[in-house]
Amino acid sequence: MNHLMIMPIVIPLLTGAFLLVMYRYNIGRQRSLSIGSTLLLVVFAVWAVLQAGVTDYTLYRLGNWQPPFGIVLVLDRLTAIMLLLTALLSLFCVLYASRGSDREGSHFHALLQFQLMGINGAFLTGDLFNLFVFFEVLLIASYALLLHGGGRARSRAGLHYVIINLAGSALFLLALGILYGIAGTLNMADLAHVIANAPEADLPLLKAASLLLMVVFGIKAALLPLLFWLPRAYSAASAPVAALFAIMTKVGFYAMVRVFLVVFGLDEAAPANDTVLAWLWPMALVTLALGAIGVLGAASLRTLTAYMVIVSVGILLATLSRNDEQLLAASLFYLLHSTCMTAVFFLLADLIGRYRDNGYDRFSIISPLSHRWILGSVFLVAAVSMASLPPFSGFVSKAWILQSSSHLPDYLWLWGAILISGLLIIAALSRAGSGWFWRPEEHTGKTVPALDSARTAAVCVMVTISFLLALFAQPVMDYLAAAAELVYQPSGYVDAVLGDYVRQGGEVTE
């Protein structure tokens, strides 16, 4: 059964390779294969969630090489929930793109599969160098997906995106070189053991490596001042690509959790972690504030949604910086909610733009809108959820965060940032909705285009996820609380991965 663990990597890899070979075949076959692949990913992700609920850690040793010598994949509750979120999101994105967006350029489905391979690999890997490799896989695919369809806006956004992420990759390699020079290993479990027992003379280099990794993951997660590429890139991408990109910033957050709370967290004193978390707290709050201001000043729904992604990143990293188990569990619930809803808004912006005579999704242009009752209803429900109002998952997630942080000495800063940003999101979405759906209906005499029922259904089902998360909040919260508990017990991770191997004096003996 452990062989099933590698399926989230193997399936998109083989599917992407086969799609490249059959590129000249009928687009319908390509779509069927891509949809089938993502459906399989959903099935294996559900298995992963169930497996992680039974066994704390499930390992897959490639080539049966024992850690820390060989490559190891590690499945726990946190990994499983991220795999499920990615699989569901990718399924809806493929379904939406199969209505015509995939024809804007070449190799859409192959590139999407390679990106899924990189994302899933980043979640499963137990080795920092392989985390770098999977980062590069997903980034190369995302470069091409961002440019898919061409155009000046996408080319400019893609150039900025490529440059800053290449710089991040160079810093990642530098950080890995420092860690390998100190520890002689990049296996996360073994590295955690070495760092916890490192002499004081190595502490400055360990702090330098941890700060470099914070910059690297900060680029992926869009942490201030490394976030200015995101609004332009996400608003320029096609709708299904932007919706899939909603999970990309969460990969950076996941990497921070795994590295700073596990690799650098085995030592209870965690001196290397103190510096990172001290810097992360104010930077996350300013990221949150900048995102909220951007939401209020956005000129289009796509740009507004991109800034809502930045707001979600600010909240997630602010909660992470407080280094609290209950708060991490609450932030994971918010991660599920914010990822789904920002993806919804990227797709909804495209859907609305298709039925406006002019202006696409820009707020400043007044233009007749077809099917306004259906689109307005979907927008209203999505806006209520994104604004964190009951009875949707946004309300549950933020209420849990506020409750979990109430015992912290500086909780008022977090409360104020979250509540004020929520108020600004309500104002921005209210402005957008009233401008589009509350105006008197105009009859231009033009033929009203038929509503794309498949695209609309995909968006509606995604909105429903928010309600289902709220409806089944308690079992989801219990699962996430157990996931956070495992994260804050790094010794269990180390013992599970290394098994009977103990590192002594630079040698690993059994």
Side-chain angles (χ1 to χ4, degrees), residues 85-285:
L85 177 62
T86 304
L88 288 173
L89 186 60
S90 64
L91 175 61
F92 289 114
C93 292
V94 170
L95 290 172
Y96 192 96
S98 296
R99 296 297 296 171
S101 302
D102 53 354
R103 287 183 176 272
E104 294 179 3
S106 303
H107 302 296
F108 175 86
H109 292 286
L111 291 169
L112 184 140
Q113 294 297 323
F114 288 132
Q115 182 167 6
L116 292 178
M117 171 198 168
I119 293 173
N120 291 338
F123 291 145
L124 281 165
T125 185
D127 182 278
L128 277 182
F129 185 77
N130 286 294
L131 178 63
F132 168 79
V133 171
F134 285 121
F135 268 17
E136 293 308 298
V137 172
L138 70 90
L139 286 173
I140 290 171
S142 68
Y143 299 155
L145 284 174
L146 177 57
L147 296 172
H148 191 262
R152 170 183 261 180
R154 289 177 184 173
S155 297
R156 290 180 62 187
L159 179 63
H160 297 161
Y161 180 71
V162 168
I163 290 174
I164 192 167
N165 279 284
L166 285 177
S169 298
L171 293 177
F172 201 171
L173 279 177
L174 181 59
L176 294 183
I178 294 173
L179 289 175
Y180 190 80
I182 295 174
T185 181
L186 291 176
N187 177 280
M188 292 187 188
D190 197 29
L191 194 57
H193 182 79
V194 174
I195 291 175
N197 296 280
E200 190 173 348
D202 290 340
L203 187 58
L205 284 176
L206 289 174
K207 285 187 175 182
S210 65
L211 288 172
L212 283 173
L213 290 175
M214 185 185 75
V215 172
V216 172
F217 301 147
I219 292 174
K220 315 303 180 187
L223 174 69
L224 190 80
L226 308 168
L227 56 77
F228 294 103
W229 58 269
L230 188 147
R232 179 174 292 179
Y234 279 35
S235 59
S238 65
V241 171
L244 183 61
F245 279 11
I247 194 70
M248 295 276 282
T249 54
K250 310 311 183 292
V251 176
F253 171 77
Y254 172 89
M256 285 191 181
V257 171
R258 189 64 77 190
V259 171
F260 297 135
L261 299 185
V262 177
V263 175
F264 287 93
L266 186 60
D267 182 5
E268 293 184 1
N273 257 358
D274 291 344
T275 305
V276 169
L277 298 180
W279 277 96
L280 194 59
W281 170 241
M283 293 168 68
L285 289 181

Side-chain angles (χ1 to χ4, degrees), residues 337 345 379-392 394-395 429:
H337 155 77
F345 271 101
F379 182 90
L380 175 63
V381 175
V384 169
S385 177
M386 196 68 215
S388 302
L389 299 175
F392 296 100
F395 174 79
L429 293 176

Side-chain angles (χ1 to χ4, degrees), residues 30 51 81 102 114 132 138 157 161 178 207 218 238 244 251 266 289 312 334 340 362 365 396 407 442 479 500:
Q30 297 182 43
Q51 174 68 15
I81 205 69
D102 53 354
F114 288 132
F132 168 79
L138 70 90
Y161 180 71
I178 294 173
K207 285 187 175 182
S238 65
L244 183 61
V251 176
L266 186 60
S312 69
Y334 177 75
C340 289
R362 295 186 65 84
I365 298 177
V396 177
H407 67 282
E442 301 177 25
Y479 193 95
D500 296 330

